[in-house]
């Protein structure tokens, strides 16, 4: 059996305010084409199908279209809910969907609903699609299970999977949406549950007992072991995502279990580029030719914060998305406490005007107004 492991589609998510639905549909159409070319039997999506618990109508339509194209290409589909999804909404009409080859797993408290039995020429394949396991909800419903955090939740779920394996034989694959031990640290924007001891990390030993574990939650690909991996998201959704590549893992199962795993690339509609320098120099620098259609993050090193930097950058880079002013070596200090220790209120206001006006301070009339306003405020505070 040949499976394609994907995750974190986040239908409806924006990139710094820019709509991504059309770009995502284009990538998922290529995914359907890969299903045909590679003769993939099953597409796995390990959580965060939507970006919102209440997706807009056009986002529901976009997902429906993408799933229909993948089914038409010949693959069954297994989706599990993630922390961004509304499990109830995503799982609506799951029984009817299953009849059409779309398997939706959204019921965290019903382990028997996670199992989807598929088959190939070697016999059955048990796919256990774990929905996102919210520790608070599980703890309230299962006080006897001792669930304090995400690691405990996954332990409880995998105990149920291993018990099911005693009854349902064959090879086994698990989908899970969590933060697992061994992820390269930490330049990624996946949300993480914070506990008193730090990140709520799931030990890899909790995931033992199956042939392959398809993880979601991290937006860049990761290989934690030969049989435990993150595929990452099909689009870049943040400059913090570690890998420039987008794609999925092609997982081959033979009669004995996991045979081979290979990376399959998906197209990147718009690359991520970070540049650094002074604004005027960047706008004319030929070194950046060819990056004009990228998503752009800019770190400005001008001594003073440039005025209207984003508008000027967009004249060359229409998809400039983020600007940070980091200043040069001789940039004025922005240590507020140090300034206040040495400056009067009127001088602090004057410094602010110099800062926001790119070096142009208050004129005589404005300085007089500032001094008058400061004096009035001091009188009010003194009760005069």
């Amino acid at each position: 059996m040949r499976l394609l492991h994907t995750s974190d589609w986040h239908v409806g998510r924006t990139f710094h305010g820019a709509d991504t639905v059309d770009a995502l549909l284009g990538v998922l159409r290529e995914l359907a084409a890969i299903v045909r070319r590679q003769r993939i039997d099953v597409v796995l999506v390990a959580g965060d199908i939507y970006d919102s618990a209440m997706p807009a109508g056009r986002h529901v339509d976009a997902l429906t279209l993408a799933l229909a194209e993948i089914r038409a290409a010949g693959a069954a589909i297994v989706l599990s809910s993630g922390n961004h999804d509304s499990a109830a909404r995503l799982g609506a009409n799951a029984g009817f969907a299953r009849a059409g080859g779309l398997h939706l797993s959204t019921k965290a408290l019903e382990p028997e609903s996670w199992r989807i039995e598929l088959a190939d020429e070697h016999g059955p394949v048990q796919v256990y699609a774990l929905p996102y396991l919210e520790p608070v909800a599980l703890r309230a419903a299962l006080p006897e299970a001792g669930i304090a955090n995400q690691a405990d939740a996954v332990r409880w779920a995998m105990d149920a999977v291993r018990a099911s394996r005693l009854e349902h034989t064959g090879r086994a694959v698990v989908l899970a949406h969590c933060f697992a031990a061994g992820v390269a640290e930490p330049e990624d924007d996946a949300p993480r549950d914070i506990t008193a001891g730090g990140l709520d990390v799931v030990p890899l030993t909790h995931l033992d007992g199956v042939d392959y574990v398809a993880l979601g939650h991290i937006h860049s690909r990761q290989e934690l072991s030969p049989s435990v991996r993150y595929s990452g998201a099909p689009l870049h959704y943040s400059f913090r995502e570690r890998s420039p590549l987008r794609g999925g893992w092609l997982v081959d199962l033979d009669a004995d279990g996991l045979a081979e795993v290979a990376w399959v690339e998906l197209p990147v509609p718009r690359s991520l580029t970070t540049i650094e320098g002074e604004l005027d120099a960047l706008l004319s620098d030929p070194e950046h030719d060819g990056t004009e259609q990228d998503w752009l993050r800019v770190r400005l090193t001008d001594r003073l914060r440039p005025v209207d930097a984003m508008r000027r950058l967009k004249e060359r880079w229409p998809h400039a998305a983020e600007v940070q002013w980091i200043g040069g070596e001789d940039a004025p200090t922005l240590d507020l406490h140090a300034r206040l220790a040495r400056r009067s209120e009127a001088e602090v206001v004057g410094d602010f005007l110099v800062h926001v006006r790119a070096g142009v301070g208050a004129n005589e009339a404005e300085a007089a107004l500032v001094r008058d306003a400061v004096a009035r405020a001091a009188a009010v505070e003194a009760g005069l």
Side-chain angles (χ1 to χ4, degrees):
M1 183 173 289
R2 174 164 283 187
L3 308 99
L4 181 60
H5 165 198
T6 75
S7 74
D8 295 272
W9 288 8
H10 284 282
V11 179
R13 188 162 186 167
T14 61
F15 186 92
H16 290 265
D19 188 90
T20 63
V21 170
D22 289 342
L24 179 60
L25 279 175
V27 171
L28 295 179
R29 286 192 181 98
E30 177 57 25
L31 190 150
I34 291 171
V35 167
R36 284 194 177 90
R37 290 197 300 270
Q38 299 280 2
R39 294 184 174 86
I40 291 167
D41 300 298
V42 187
V43 171
L44 311 175
V45 192
D48 282 355
I49 314 305
Y50 290 113
D51 191 57
S52 168
M54 298 184 67
R58 63 187 293 260
H59 300 151
V60 175
D61 291 342
L63 178 64
T64 301
L65 177 60
L67 295 176
E69 292 187 358
I70 292 169
R71 281 294 295 131
I77 306 169
V78 178
L79 305 182
S80 60
S81 53
N83 57 295
H84 277 247
D85 299 306
S86 164
R89 287 185 174 87
L90 183 64
N93 299 315
F96 293 102
R98 180 174 295 207
L102 171 61
H103 304 273
L104 301 165
S105 180
T106 62
K107 297 180 179 180
L109 292 172
E110 299 181 15
E112 66 278 4
S113 72
W114 306 340
R115 186 180 65 86
I116 298 126
E117 183 168 315
L118 306 172
D120 63 7
E121 66 273 20
H122 302 299
V125 173
Q126 311 295 341
V127 178
Y128 294 91
L130 278 56
Y132 179 68
L133 302 168
E134 172 53 58
V136 173
L138 292 178
R139 184 163 59 246
L142 304 166
E144 72 285 355
I147 296 172
N149 52 36
Q150 192 77 59
D152 291 339
V154 172
R155 170 192 50 75
W156 167 80
M158 287 301 298
D159 284 347
V161 168
R162 286 184 282 267
S164 174
R165 298 277 291 129
L166 299 176
E167 180 180 354
H168 303 284
T169 59
R171 297 147 292 166
V173 172
V174 161
L175 283 68
H177 197 82
C178 63
F179 187 77
V183 172
E185 284 293 331
E187 198 170 34
D188 196 286
D189 74 337
R192 300 184 179 100
D193 300 310
I194 304 301
T195 65
L199 295 177
D200 191 354
V201 176
V202 176
L204 290 189
T205 53
H206 284 15
L207 301 169
D208 288 347
V210 296
D211 295 289
Y212 183 79
V213 179
L215 293 175
H217 200 40
I218 300 299
H219 288 183
S220 294
R221 71 175 189 177
Q222 303 270 337
E223 179 181 348
L224 307 187
S225 78
S227 61
V228 182
R229 302 174 189 241
Y230 287 96
S231 66
L235 288 183
H236 288 106
Y237 290 119
S238 167
F239 283 106
R240 291 176 292 171
E241 292 175 14
R242 177 178 298 274
S243 173
L245 301 176
R246 302 288 98 176
W249 294 109
L250 191 63
V251 180
D252 282 321
L253 301 178
D254 62 14
D256 299 318
L258 183 63
E260 185 177 2
V261 182
W263 179 251
V264 177
E265 287 194 20
L266 288 168
V268 177
R270 201 177 303 286
S271 298
L272 306 185
T273 295
T274 298
I275 60 176
E276 183 174 310
E278 295 186 359
L279 178 60
D280 288 340
L282 291 175
L283 290 171
S284 59
D285 191 344
E287 181 181 346
H288 303 304
D289 288 352
T291 65
E292 285 78 6
Q293 295 305 311
D294 293 356
W295 291 121
L296 192 74
R297 174 172 57 179
V298 185
R299 296 190 175 105
L300 294 176
T301 60
D302 300 72
R303 182 177 182 275
L304 297 174
R305 184 189 296 271
V307 174
D308 214 7
M310 180 61 86
R311 181 191 61 78
R312 295 179 63 193
L313 286 164
K314 283 184 175 291
E315 291 175 357
R316 180 174 181 183
W317 291 281
H319 304 289
E322 182 179 303
V323 178
Q324 303 170 350
W325 177 60
I326 60 176
E329 292 182 359
D330 61 344
T333 178
L334 297 179
D335 187 333
L336 179 61
H337 293 290
R339 286 193 176 195
L340 290 177
R342 312 192 298 269
R343 313 286 282 173
S344 69
E345 288 88 344
E347 288 172 325
V348 169
V349 174
D351 287 346
F352 174 75
L353 292 174
V354 171
H355 173 60
V356 299
R357 290 176 171 179
V360 179
N363 59 35
E364 186 175 343
E366 290 171 332
L369 287 171
V370 170
R371 288 193 297 271
D372 181 64
V374 169
R376 287 174 182 273
V380 169
E381 289 180 359
L384 300 177

